[in-house]
Amino acid sequence: MSLAPRLLRSLDPLAVAAGADIPDAVTIGGITLSRSDLLGAATSVAERVARAERVAVLARPTASTVLAVVGCLIAGVTVVPVPPDSGAAELDHMLTDSGAQAWLGEAPEGTALPVVPVRQHARSWHTYPEPGPDTPAFVLYTSGTTGLPKGVVLSRRAIAAGLDALAEAWSWTAADVLVHGLPLFHVHGLILGLLGPLRVGSPLVHTGKPTPANYAAAAGTMYFGVPTVWARIADDPDTAEKLSAARLLISGSAPLPAPVFERLAELTGQAPIERYGMSETMITLSARADGERRPGWVGVPVQGVQTRLRDEAGEPVPHDGSSIGGLQVRGPMLFDGYFGRPAATAECWTEDGWFRTGDVAAIDAAGFHRIVGRESVDLIKSGGYRIGAGEVETTLLGHPGVAEVAVVGLPDADLGQRIVAFVVARDTAPGEQELIDHVAGQLSAHKRPREIRFVTSLPRNAMGKVQKKQLGNGSPTPPPT
């Protein structure tokens, strides 16, 4: 699918002028906006911010956020989406680092920046020329697992390429209805979940909170969710049955546990789609709507993407499905760099032009990819072996007594690192040795955990990703009784 000149091509002023409306283009926060509503109100926003370079948007799941983002895209103004639950230090860093000149729409109390209102019922039919494809659309701040968050600069060209590649992989058309309740300050909910429908022309229903009840109440053909959402739906057979009429169930932002994958397939009659990406790359790997779907694997490269694996010495790793290495990618949807940080940007790229994702993966002979985890926390070097935390986690999740698990490598004087599993048990906690033996019975013996620590919950960020760097600093927690 080629790039269209207009990023949000379903918001075509000529089509609106001719009366070709989409009455339910976006439903969010109890408000339904037609294509005409979106174009008129967002163009009114564009008139207010057209002379700005960058503005901050407090990205609550509201119609105001939608209009703010679309208005900026119409005017060619870069959006800095701000998580609504940002702490004072995070907020100050994002605003200062990005150089945002104003808040657009809602603003936190006590802000020193000017606030530009977003008026839902205002209308303007002024026509703006389409900004150039290299115009920065967003500065998205990463989760900041190592130091302060960095601003990821995504161009209009990259976003268009990424969305078109997904439309091709997922057979996504204007006949679809997308349903999700994801945050509007990350790639998953904002770019895929909002701009995707506006590019393809498919209606969007944002459920506010991504609860099983809200998903069941929305009649969609495509559903986006993080693994936590899908796990709750898998535990709710009535909801899962109501989603069985959907065309695609798509999971991302964190690995989907194999038992959840299999339970969803059993209850809905279809295996979920898993895909892989990050703020810097958008989505580069995905199972296809017309292709194979495997639990624990995130599919094949999407249109225009190439991948490769390298070991610590920079040497190629065989694509045999089991050997693991650092995943490197290249393609048209990659970011333009970290805002104001040329040195940090340069560090992410190889001399021959590949982006180092920082993730560890395996690739099989058919091109299917399995993500093992982050090189910094998920590549465990124990007793001379290189072990991926992900396969140990998947094996532990196959035990009926394990609800959630995170595996890390902690310092060990003898082994270098010892494998430690943090386990959230189901109703009755299994014994520590029982879980160790369970892994040793299914994987190589050197991949077994040396220690099991039972916890009541795992630390997660807003997208449901486990924050492993918060684990391992305290003493073992006794199992629940």
Side-chain angles (χ1 to χ4, degrees):
M1 191 181 293
S2 62
L3 298 184
R6 185 175 296 278
L7 174 59
L8 306 182
R9 62 181 172 215
S10 76
L11 297 184
D12 184 353
L14 294 178
V16 172
D21 209 351
I22 301 173
D24 55 352
V26 174
T27 300
I28 187 169
I31 295 171
T32 296
L33 300 169
S34 68
R35 175 160 68 175
S36 176
D37 294 333
L38 273 170
L39 184 61
T43 304
S44 176
V45 170
E47 290 189 352
R48 299 190 189 100
V49 299
R51 296 185 180 181
E53 289 185 65
R54 289 174 297 281
V55 298
V57 174
L58 195 64
R60 299 189 190 280
T62 65
S64 174
T65 294
V66 172
L67 295 175
V69 169
V70 175
C72 287
L73 292 174
I74 289 172
V77 175
T78 303
V79 180
V80 182
V82 176
D85 61 351
S86 296
E90 290 177 302
L91 188 60
D92 181 67
H93 168 69
M94 285 186 277
L95 297 179
T96 302
D97 187 72
S98 68
Q101 297 156 292
W103 285 100
L104 182 54
E106 187 181 357
E109 292 184 9
T111 182
L113 289 180
V115 180
V116 179
V118 171
R119 299 188 177 98
Q120 180 188 331
H121 300 292
R123 297 289 184 272
S124 171
W125 304 110
H126 179 78
T127 300
Y128 283 83
E130 180 73 3
D134 294 322
T135 302
F138 296 98
V139 177
L140 291 178
Y141 278 84
T142 63
S143 57
T145 54
T146 55
L148 292 170
K150 298 187 290 289
V152 173
V153 181
L154 293 173
S155 71
R156 301 171 72 93
R157 183 194 305 274
I159 291 170
L163 293 177
D164 286 350
L166 290 181
E168 191 278 331
W170 297 343
S171 303
W172 188 356
T173 72
D176 283 302
V177 175
L178 175 62
V179 176
H180 73 84
L182 302 172
L184 297 184
F185 48 84
H186 282 307
V187 165
H188 197 170
L190 175 61
I191 296 180
L192 277 59
L194 173 60
L195 303 194
L198 294 180
R199 184 163 177 83
V200 172
S202 60
L204 163 65
V205 177
H206 193 286
T207 62
K209 293 183 178 180
T211 65
N214 287 346
Y215 273 39
T221 65
M222 296 171 59
Y223 288 78
F224 287 175
V226 298
T228 302
V229 173
W230 293 121
R232 291 171 181 167
I233 289 173
D235 286 337
D236 186 342
D238 290 340
T239 293
E241 184 180 358
K242 291 177 182 176
L243 300 190
S244 61
R247 191 174 65 83
L248 293 179
L249 308 178
I250 301 170
S251 180
S253 294
L256 183 68
V260 176
F261 180 107
E262 292 162 354
R263 180 68 169 154
L264 280 174
E266 175 188 346
L267 292 172
T268 66
Q270 63 164 301
I273 291 275
E274 291 192 72
R275 84 302 180 282
Y276 163 84
M278 51 197 305
S279 299
E280 291 89 341
T281 67
M282 290 184 279
I283 306 305
T284 51
L285 302 167
S286 180
R288 295 180 56 86
D290 59 356
E292 182 184 1
R293 307 172 198 180
R294 301 181 201 165
W297 296 73
V298 292
V300 297
V302 300
Q303 192 175 63
V305 170
Q306 295 174 292
T307 66
R308 70 184 190 185
L309 300 179
R310 291 293 184 266
D311 63 19
E312 290 95 330
E315 295 300 317
V317 173
H319 293 186
D320 56 14
S322 59
S323 299
I324 61 176
L327 177 64
Q328 300 177 4
V329 303
R330 62 183 180 186
M333 64 285 294
L334 270 64
F335 75 138
D336 286 343
Y338 296 114
F339 186 81
R341 300 193 185 191
T345 300
E347 288 176 4
C348 294
W349 296 88
T350 66
E351 291 183 358
D352 56 347
W354 292 75
F355 178 72
R356 300 184 180 97
T357 66
D359 284 316
V360 181
I363 306 174
D364 74 4
F368 249 71
H369 290 60
R370 175 169 56 88
I371 305 300
V372 174
R374 297 295 292 170
E375 286 180 299
S376 58
V377 294
D378 292 318
L379 179 57
I380 302 171
K381 299 176 183 178
S382 182
Y385 295 99
R386 300 166 76 246
I387 301 153
E391 62 180 332
V392 183
E393 290 167 349
T394 297
T395 302
L396 283 167
L397 284 167
H399 189 285
V402 175
E404 297 179 79
V405 63
V407 169
V408 300
L410 298 184
D412 187 274
D414 179 43
L415 298 169
Q417 288 182 305
R418 70 183 185 280
I419 302 173
V420 179
F422 290 79
V423 171
V424 178
R426 294 194 180 275
D427 297 334
T428 302
E432 178 178 7
Q433 192 60 46
E434 179 183 346
L435 293 181
I436 293 172
D437 292 342
H438 173 76
V439 175
Q442 298 195 36
L443 301 177
S444 301
H446 66 264
K447 297 179 180 179
R448 71 190 186 281
R450 301 299 177 124
E451 182 183 349
I452 304 290
R453 299 189 187 183
F454 290 97
V455 295
T456 55
S457 64
L458 299 175
R460 297 180 182 272
N461 66 13
M463 295 303 293
K465 295 181 181 179
V466 175
Q467 303 296 282
K468 289 192 175 182
K469 292 196 174 184
Q470 297 182 30
L471 297 171
N473 297 322
S475 58
T477 302
T481 57

